[in-house]
Amino acid sequence: MDKHLQLFITVAEKKSFSKAAEEHYMTQPAVSQYIRALEDQIGMRLLERTNKYVHLNKAGEIVYHYGKEILGLYTTMQNLVDDLTNKANGPLAIGASYTFGEYVLPRMIAELKRNYPDIEPTVTIGNTVRIADLVAAHQLDVGIVEGHFNRKDVHIEPFAEDEMFIVASPTSKLCSKEGLTHRDLENETWIVREKGSGTREATEKLFQTYGINPCRFMHFSSTQPIKESVASGLGISLLSKWAIQKEVRYGDLKIIAIDGLPLLREFSIITKSPFQTRALEVFLNLLRDNGNETKKKHPE
């Protein structure tokens, strides 16, 4: 059954029998035979075929969704059984929200590979909601997300703290004004992340806590263009200390000193399965061991 699902999922994603055959080193008729066998077993056609493309019908969408989850569970099961006789090795699917994934995780992956060269990590970066969804669907072994997080379908373990600061261009009038208040921030353009991101959640918490009602916003889906926009003088933003260290050090961004900051939030580990491969176990221990490092002094 797993071979049938693998081929079906590949056909669905490639929208082509020939491309699926090429990826699995099979002939196109053999792939078609597997798909027909799966449709016979399900009792319903799953794919609509034309001369130009292949696409999922409603039944196919259902099988595709749950088939991905089934294959994820099958892979986890196989890895757990293999671990009974082998040292930590094999694939490890890691997901992380943007701040942790772009600015903290690469160093940890390097440390993991130095100590366990046979582990094969793959990394998916996305906002907090997307990473949690992928963990819940068994598409990722572990996720690292930021901010307040509460879901019943995954296990959540806070493990580190993050500090967040308001930053502006060094040429901003906010950098030279004395006695800066939260009201002074309302007239600025705020450059913020999209809904569903931990950084956006922290920004909204800041607004709510101090009664800040900005009159203008700009939205970006990742941190790097936000930093570039702030440095160019387009507005201000609330960003993690991990994201701004280099820019603050070289003078491209300046931290705005104001009461109530830095704003603290948590990094959390999320997992789904109660069982852990040895590869996942050593990675989780690495995360926990490095948790205190996120409590270092903020950028000068």
Side-chain angles (χ1 to χ4, degrees), residues 63-88:
V63 174
Y64 175 80
H65 175 80
Y66 287 101
K68 293 270 286 186
E69 186 167 344
I70 289 168
L71 287 181
L73 286 169
Y74 182 88
T75 300
T76 299
M77 177 191 71
Q78 189 64 58
N79 290 338
L80 285 165
V81 172
D82 290 344
D83 275 352
L84 295 177
T85 56
N86 297 310
K87 62 181 181 179

Side-chain angles (χ1 to χ4, degrees), residues 127-133 135 143 145-158 196 201 266-271:
N127 67 33
T128 293
V129 172
R130 178 168 182 260
I131 295 302
D133 287 343
V135 172
V145 296
E146 56 211 38
H148 177 72
F149 193 72
N150 185 24
R151 283 181 60 156
K152 303 297 185 184
D153 56 347
V154 293
H155 176 72
I156 304 166
E157 177 191 342
E201 178 196 344
E266 289 181 325
F267 287 135
S268 295
I269 298 166
I270 54 174
T271 53

Side-chain angles (χ1 to χ4, degrees), residues 1 19 22-23 30 36 39 50 76 89 108 138 153 166 169 173 177 192 202 204 219 228 256-257 261 271 285:
M1 171 63 79
K19 291 180 180 178
E22 183 179 337
E23 180 164 321
R36 283 196 300 271
E39 289 177 326
T50 70
T76 299
N89 59 24
M108 292 190 176
H138 301 280
D153 56 347
I166 297 174
S169 166
K173 63 182 183 296
K177 183 173 181 178
V192 299
E204 292 178 348
H219 300 81
E228 296 291 340
I256 302 299
L261 293 181
T271 53
N285 289 335

Side-chain angles (χ1 to χ4, degrees), residues 29-288:
V31 172
S32 298
Q33 185 175 353
Y34 270 97
I35 299 301
R36 283 196 300 271
L38 179 63
E39 289 177 326
D40 289 343
Q41 185 168 359
I42 298 295
M44 190 174 296
R45 180 180 290 273
L46 304 175
L47 296 166
E48 299 301 329
R49 305 162 175 84
T50 70
N51 291 332
K52 294 184 177 180
Y53 60 87
V54 177
H55 67 88
L56 297 170
N57 58 24
K58 186 62 178 177
E61 291 175 357
I62 294 171
V63 174
Y64 175 80
H65 175 80
Y66 287 101
K68 293 270 286 186
E69 186 167 344
I70 289 168
L71 287 181
L73 286 169
Y74 182 88
T75 300
T76 299
M77 177 191 71
Q78 189 64 58
N79 290 338
L80 285 165
V81 172
D82 290 344
D83 275 352
L84 295 177
T85 56
N86 297 310
K87 62 181 181 179
N89 59 24
L92 177 64
I94 303 167
S97 52
Y98 284 96
T99 298
F100 195 93
E102 292 178 339
Y103 300 103
V104 184
L105 185 59
R107 174 180 53 80
M108 292 190 176
I109 294 294
E111 183 177 347
L112 179 72
K113 288 296 292 181
R114 282 195 300 271
N115 295 328
Y116 300 93
D118 294 330
I119 293 178
E120 303 163 7
T122 58
V123 177
T124 299
I125 306 294
N127 67 33
T128 293
V129 172
R130 178 168 182 260
I131 295 302
D133 287 343
L134 290 172
V135 172
H138 301 280
Q139 300 305 298
L140 294 172
D141 298 313
V142 58
I144 304 104
V145 296
E146 56 211 38
H148 177 72
F149 193 72
N150 185 24
R151 283 181 60 156
K152 303 297 185 184
D153 56 347
V154 293
H155 176 72
I156 304 166
E157 177 191 342
F159 77 103
E161 278 187 350
D162 187 20
E163 294 176 332
M164 305 195 72
F165 299 87
I166 297 174
V167 290
S169 166
T171 60
S172 170
K173 63 182 183 296
L174 295 179
C175 297
S176 56
K177 183 173 181 178
E178 295 183 2
L180 197 65
T181 69
H182 297 105
R183 290 286 167 257
D184 294 315
L185 304 177
E186 292 189 328
N187 294 325
E188 301 293 322
T189 298
W190 278 82
I191 306 176
V192 299
R193 285 284 307 280
E194 80 285 1
K195 290 281 188 181
S197 80
T199 298
R200 176 62 175 268
E201 178 196 344
T203 303
E204 292 178 348
K205 178 182 177 182
L206 176 74
F207 293 160
Q208 182 179 16
T209 300
Y210 297 105
I212 300 171
N213 296 296
C215 54
R216 295 181 301 276
F217 290 94
M218 291 179 64
H219 300 81
F220 288 96
S221 60
S222 66
T223 300
Q224 191 60 38
I226 291 179
K227 293 192 295 180
E228 296 291 340
S229 299
V230 172
S232 299
L234 292 178
I236 63 176
S237 189
L238 181 74
L239 294 173
S240 164
K241 70 174 182 181
W242 296 104
I244 61 174
Q245 288 184 103
K246 187 178 297 184
E247 290 77 9
V248 170
R249 184 182 308 121
Y250 291 111
D252 297 319
L253 295 176
K254 188 171 179 61
I255 291 173
I256 302 299
I258 193 165
D259 290 342
L261 293 181
L263 182 72
L264 297 181
R265 66 175 177 177
E266 289 181 325
F267 287 135
S268 295
I269 298 166
I270 54 174
T271 53
K272 177 70 173 180
S273 173
F275 303 102
Q276 297 174 1
T277 64
R278 292 190 183 178
L280 177 55
E281 182 180 335
V282 298
F283 179 67
L284 292 178
N285 289 335
L286 176 64
L287 286 175
R288 295 172 185 130

